[in-house]
């Protein structure tokens, strides 16, 4: 039997959408800017599984002048405590110095206590009569609302204050101020403001868009489920084909894998034909919930962090330039469709 050789490079998809910057993203960002005068700490959430791709420079541009804490959320879905995971976290911490960095899972009380401890220390250093007010920001579906609920539950023992969901766009407006640390005799409490996710106006490369889609930062209707499943298969093979061994032998052909998933899970259409889209979405959801390996999609090193930083800085200007790039991309796709139709 021939030795299986996984793909080392995913094919470039020039037709892939490279923008998901919606009207409520722009409105939310503008509202955040008007609230800055009452905010003394920005808690920026990034997805642990895509630590490079989930950075949004719009927050740095538009919410400058406030101390910032970066929290890498969903740590439980991207690590199994391996030495490589610890090395990656140390690399990220070192690169961002002196900006404080925390890694978190809203299901892990210890990591939530770390954030509360940071918030409490920050509040003690501020001079205010009305309590410390903090704002939580990040890309769509990065886990902001889940983190807020966990901070509230552990900090003041209260129930959920923010709605959560599997798809982006659950939070579409600035939320009400939520207390996460109670007042004391000498200090007022700490309050947190939930905000809608804000997508980058233009994603510099197509693979980053696939990573964000796979993590749920764009709706599953934006990119074909089979395309996302193909990219997931590419990533699974780089880890171990055994991760999907219950449905298929090692393969680089996503249709082979999806046919196996359809047969084993009963996702079949009339006549026993595999429902490829339904099988793809089921497979993607398995990975999103940590049942198909827990690993990071971005390749993190000092060099990749610096390269990503420079790539995004080149887009900075950023909103107007990125809008132009996004419009030009849509124009080219529309033109291509008309040519094909003709």
């Amino acid at each position: 039997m021939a030795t299986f050789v996984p793909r080392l490079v995913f094919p470039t998809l020039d037709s892939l959408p490279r923008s998901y910057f919606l009207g409520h993203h722009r409105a939310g960002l503008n509202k955040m800017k008007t609230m800055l005068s009452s905010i003394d700490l920005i808690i920026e959430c990034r997805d642990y599984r895509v630590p490079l791709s989930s950075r949004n420079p719009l927050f740095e541009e538009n919410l400058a002048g406030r101390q910032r804490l970066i929290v890498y959320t969903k740590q439980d879905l991207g690590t199994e405590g391996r030495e490589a995971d610890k090395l990656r976290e140390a690399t990220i911490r070192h690169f961002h110095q002196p900006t404080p960095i925390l890694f978190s899972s809203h299901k892990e009380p210890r990591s939530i206590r770390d954030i509360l401890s940071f918030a409490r220390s920050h509040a003690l250093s501020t001079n205010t009569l009305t309590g410390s007010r903090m704002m939580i920001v990040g890309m769509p579906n990065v886990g902001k609302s889940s983190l807020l609920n966990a901070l509230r539950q552990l900090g003041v023992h209260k129930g959920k204050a923010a709605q959560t969901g599997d798809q982006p766009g659950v939070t579409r407006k600035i939320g009400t101020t939520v207390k996460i640390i109670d007042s004391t005799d000498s200090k007022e409490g700490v309050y947190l403001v939930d905000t809608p996710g804000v997508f980058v106006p233009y994603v510099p490369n197509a693979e980053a868009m696939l990573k964000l889609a796979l993590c749920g930062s764009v709706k599953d209707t934006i990119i074909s489920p089979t395309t996302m499943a193909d990219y997931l298969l590419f990533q699974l093979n780089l880890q171990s084909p055994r991760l999907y061994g219950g449905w298929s032998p090692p393969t680089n052909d996503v249709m082979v894998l999806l046919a196996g998933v359809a047969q084993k899970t009963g996702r079949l259409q009339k006549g026993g034909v595999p429902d490829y889209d339904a099988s793809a979405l089921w497979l993607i959801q398995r990975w999103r919930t940590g049942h198909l390996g827990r690993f990071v999609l971005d390749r993190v090193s000092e060099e990749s962090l610096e390269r990503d930083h420079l790539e995004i800085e080149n887009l900075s200007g950023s909103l107007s330039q990125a809008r132009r790039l996004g419009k030009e991309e849509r124009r080219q796709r529309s033109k291509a469709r008309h040519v094909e139709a003709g």
Side-chain angles (χ1 to χ4, degrees), residues 168-223:
V170 174
T171 305
R172 299 177 71 91
K173 294 182 179 180
I174 303 291
T176 56
T177 302
V178 173
K179 181 184 282 190
I180 60 169
I181 297 176
D182 279 323
S183 308
T184 65
D185 291 340
S186 60
K187 198 73 177 176
E188 288 295 325
V190 177
Y191 300 84
L192 191 58
V193 179
D194 195 15
T195 65
V198 177
F199 204 78
V200 288
Y202 184 78
V203 179
N205 64 78
E207 189 170 356
M209 189 71 178
L210 278 171
K211 292 173 183 177
L212 291 167
L214 196 53
C215 289
S217 283
V218 304
K219 285 191 176 178
D220 289 339
T221 53
I222 301 300
I223 295 175

Side-chain angles (χ1 to χ4, degrees), residues 104-299:
S104 172
S105 164
H106 71 271
K107 299 175 183 178
E108 174 49 59
R110 178 190 55 78
S111 68
I112 301 303
R113 288 192 190 96
D114 288 343
I115 299 172
L116 286 169
S117 178
F118 184 95
R120 188 176 290 108
S121 296
H122 176 81
L124 289 171
S125 69
T126 60
N127 184 22
T128 173
L129 299 175
T130 58
S132 178
R133 277 166 170 71
M134 305 175 180
M135 180 183 287
I136 189 166
V137 304
M139 294 272 271
N141 210 23
V142 79
K144 299 180 300 300
S145 297
S146 294
L147 178 57
L148 181 148
N149 288 333
L151 291 168
R152 174 177 163 86
Q153 196 281 324
L154 202 59
V156 296
H157 309 294
K158 296 287 182 67
K160 285 186 177 182
Q163 286 187 309
T164 61
D166 292 333
Q167 289 290 291
V170 174
T171 305
R172 299 177 71 91
K173 294 182 179 180
I174 303 291
T176 56
T177 302
V178 173
K179 181 184 282 190
I180 60 169
I181 297 176
D182 279 323
S183 308
T184 65
D185 291 340
S186 60
K187 198 73 177 176
E188 288 295 325
V190 177
Y191 300 84
L192 191 58
V193 179
D194 195 15
T195 65
V198 177
F199 204 78
V200 288
Y202 184 78
V203 179
N205 64 78
E207 189 170 356
M209 189 71 178
L210 278 171
K211 292 173 183 177
L212 291 167
L214 196 53
C215 289
S217 283
V218 304
K219 285 191 176 178
D220 289 339
T221 53
I222 301 300
I223 295 175
S224 160
T226 55
T227 299
M228 287 195 289
D230 190 21
Y231 186 69
L232 176 57
L233 173 61
F234 166 72
Q235 290 281 355
L236 290 170
N237 280 333
L238 294 178
Q239 301 296 320
S240 171
R242 289 192 296 272
L243 289 169
Y244 58 84
W247 305 296
S248 168
T251 181
N252 286 316
D253 187 340
V254 70
M255 293 307 182
V256 171
L257 173 57
L258 294 180
V261 168
Q263 291 291 337
K264 295 285 179 68
T265 65
R267 286 170 168 76
L268 302 169
Q269 298 175 321
K270 190 174 181 180
V273 177
D275 188 332
Y276 290 109
D277 281 356
S279 299
L281 289 170
W282 182 84
L283 195 71
I284 290 163
Q285 195 59 29
R286 293 286 294 174
W287 180 76
R288 286 176 179 167
T289 53
H291 294 99
L292 198 56
R294 298 166 187 260
F295 53 87
V296 169
L297 302 179
D298 284 333
R299 295 173 187 175

